[in-house]
Amino acid sequence: EDHSLVDFVSSSPGEGGRPAPEVMLVATKIDKVGRTEQFKLISSLGALVGSPALAVSSVSGQGKSDLGRRIALALERAGARR
């Protein structure tokens, strides 16, 4: 089911002929699993879309600043493609 959603979003053209939206996979509540499992999880999620997934925890703050930067970069790229 996750593969279907990623495929759908990745291949769906944007409105007005814009490119498909950028897909960013974010693993939330990453503090619930140990470091070794985090690495395995992030690696397998990244393989789904062919780009690195991001591990985020609101409890520990892990990954929050990286997430903000990646969203800002994605918005910049989207604006440049208009």
Side-chain angles (χ1 to χ4, degrees):
E1 193 172 297
D2 292 336
H3 289 283
S4 299
L5 178 60
V6 170
D7 290 342
F8 173 75
V9 172
S10 297
S11 65
S12 298
E15 282 185 28
R18 288 189 295 227
E22 189 171 329
V23 175
M24 182 185 318
L25 289 182
V26 179
T28 60
K29 300 184 184 201
I30 201 67
D31 55 282
K32 301 285 185 182
V33 296
R35 281 284 198 209
T36 303
E37 283 301 309
Q38 287 180 20
F39 180 76
K40 290 177 187 176
L41 177 66
I42 296 306
S43 296
S44 63
L45 286 174
L48 285 174
V49 293
S51 65
L54 189 58
V56 176
S57 167
S58 62
V59 172
S60 69
Q62 176 185 345
K64 287 173 67 175
S65 60
D66 289 340
L67 177 59
R69 279 193 295 276
R70 286 183 60 181
I71 290 171
L73 286 171
L75 290 171
E76 265 184 47
R77 284 191 293 266
R81 294 185 297 190
R82 288 176 142 203

